[in-house]
Amino acid sequence: MATAGGKIHVDEDIGKDDPSADGSETSPYKSLLFAHIQHPPSQKDGPQYLTRKSETGPVSEDGDPEARKEWKPATKSALKKCSNLYEQHKRKQAKGNDLAVREKSEQEKRQRALQEAMEVRIKEDPQLPKAFKIRLNEKDPALVKLRKGTSEKDVDYAEGRGSRVKVTGRVHRFRTQKDVIFITLQDGYGFLQCVLTGDLTKTYDALTLTQETSMEVYGEMWEVPPGQHAPDDRELHADYYEIIGKAAGEKEAITTRAAPDADPQTLLDNRHLVLRGEISSSVMRVRAALLRAYRHTYEYEIIPSCLEVTPPCMVQTQVEGGATLFDFNYYGEKAYLTQSSQLYLETCLPSLGNVFCVAPSFRAEKSSTRRHLSEYTHIEAELDFISFDDLLVHLELVMSQVVQHALADPKISKLVYDLNPQFTVPERPFMRMRYADAITWLREHDIKNEEGQPHEFGDDIAEAAERRMTDIINRPIFLTHFPVAIKAFYMKKDPQDLRVTESVDCLMPGVGEVVGGSMRMDDYEELMAAYQREGIDPKPYYWYTDQRKYGTSPHGGYGLGLERFLAWMCGRHTVRECCLYPRFTGRCTP
């Protein structure tokens, strides 16, 4: 036995610090500390700790036992060092035991409180004035009453705050302070702090409240006390509430499922929960404001105005190249999801004038960069009887007006600057840089192409180089006059330099290209030659080619990716944060 004769054996080479060892000569421990823990020293007849080491180094369990030294008492220095470690171990163990006792006590106390809380019942006081429902963003109960059909003669305009109302929402956050529970509700329209006191805080529902629980709260609206803060500087002093839908807690709590620091794929899997967060919901609100701003700008703030049309998403022609098309079986024929609505917009010009659309576009390129999506919202416009310079001026005006119109709403402006404190409204005119000058700039700044070589005329400037240039210059850039070989077949050549097209990409700091546009070929023969050059059969494009046969005109247009524009404005790292449910390579859920 290990304790026979009060001797405990420790062998650092072949011993074991686990239950399989017992400290005997044939089954020694590995460390002196473990021996102390298993056989604590006493004041009088403490065990004797014997140690040994091999003469020639460690040996295996089936090695030669003669190669080992004899057992010797542990040295005083080793015992002193071990005693200090052992005292630390005891203190740590005692602390752990105390913590376990406290946790057990707290758990028992909580269980008793929950048992008592199950007996607490709250009821709405029938003597109180009847409450009327308001949204959390509605601040004038008198006007709410009028809107809900109450006769004007029955509305007291002086009642304002202090009126008894009822609100519904989900628990955005909550905290307990002494015998008071402060709950901030949200309902998609606003936020409201509700104050629970008395028996309202003692119910089982109050003690087990979880974030995202939906509830209806009754009470009076009052201004917050001086020196305190709450949304809109008001709070609802509750006299009654009902739980509508209790949210999961503990391991299934939303703060666990959609933690901000979770793996990106986990957050995408739980996008439906992430959208409930302040950041994601703020981005979606700015997105909606931008859509309103674009429509308003096209219809009311530019001359001539643009009319909104709705082109098809299922097509049988390509715009930007076959490698990026999603194809599908359309009643036995091959069809595609549209890459762009541009060709259809051009057909509207003769009868409707300048037109625009807000529609989804689809790109099947297998790209996983932070600025690519397989499905995105495409804002496109086509303009008739214009020059290339007219196109640039129009683009500059539209984007500037959209930003100003969106920021004119104080709520949207606050969201933008909360999300992106460094955002600055772009100044007009935007910088203009020809493609050839950009190649020179990249060479001068030693920014290489994708092969690690200096850029040459004809290179398709890669995203990384483009973004570096934009970030260094740090202002919007109109990059113009790209070579014919790297642009789409329909782009018009520059009459002054037939090597290049009258084309433009608008580059924004942080995200790179957000807009791509050009003048379109308006000459029939030139378009037919372009089909032949690109190896495109012109027959399926008869309806597009006809625009050059029946009263052709100089015209141009562009496409803007809403998600990239939003990422630039809100300072988001990736466009995946800028749409409701992102679709990209390998992701088509939820």
Side-chain angles (χ1 to χ4, degrees), residues 110 171 174 204-205 207-214 245-258 273 276:
R110 178 169 174 77
V171 177
F174 66 94
Y204 182 83
D205 285 331
L207 294 185
T208 59
L209 191 63
T210 51
Q211 190 173 335
E212 291 301 314
T213 289
S214 57
K246 199 173 189 72
E250 299 180 349
K251 293 182 179 180
E252 282 296 302
I254 191 170
T255 49
T256 302
R257 292 275 304 278
L273 299 179
R276 297 189 181 202

Side-chain angles (χ1 to χ4, degrees), residues 193 224 228-235:
Q193 178 169 285
V224 297
Q228 298 185 22
H229 301 281
D232 296 322
D233 292 323
R234 60 187 182 141
E235 58 188 15

Side-chain angles (χ1 to χ4, degrees), residues 113 292 327 338 374 445 587:
R292 291 193 299 270
D327 61 81
T338 184
S374 297
H445 288 77
R587 169 68 60 176

Side-chain angles (χ1 to χ4, degrees), residues 402-444:
V402 163
V403 171
Q404 291 178 14
H405 188 70
L407 295 180
D409 183 334
K411 292 182 179 179
I412 298 304
S413 179
K414 183 179 185 307
L415 292 177
V416 169
Y417 286 106
D418 284 347
L419 291 164
N420 185 11
Q422 307 304 318
F423 179 72
T424 55
V425 177
E427 295 183 3
R428 297 166 55 198
F430 292 177
M431 179 179 180
R432 285 157 167 75
M433 177 186 287
R434 295 177 73 98
Y435 166 88
D437 295 330
I439 294 296
T440 300
W441 190 97
L442 291 168
R443 292 175 67 91
E444 290 174 348

Side-chain angles (χ1 to χ4, degrees), residues 521-572:
M521 289 182 181
D522 54 70
D523 181 78
Y524 177 86
E525 297 299 335
E526 185 181 10
L527 181 59
M528 295 304 292
Y531 288 141
Q532 185 175 8
R533 182 186 73 240
E534 298 296 329
I536 296 174
D537 181 1
K539 290 181 181 179
Y541 294 85
Y542 71 94
W543 50 274
Y544 180 69
T545 309
D546 276 352
Q547 305 306 308
R548 282 76 183 163
K549 292 174 64 176
Y550 297 90
T552 189
S553 61
H555 62 284
Y558 56 89
L560 177 146
L562 178 65
E563 287 79 10
R564 290 188 185 181
F565 195 89
L566 185 59
W568 162 67
M569 198 165 174
C570 293
R572 299 298 90 193

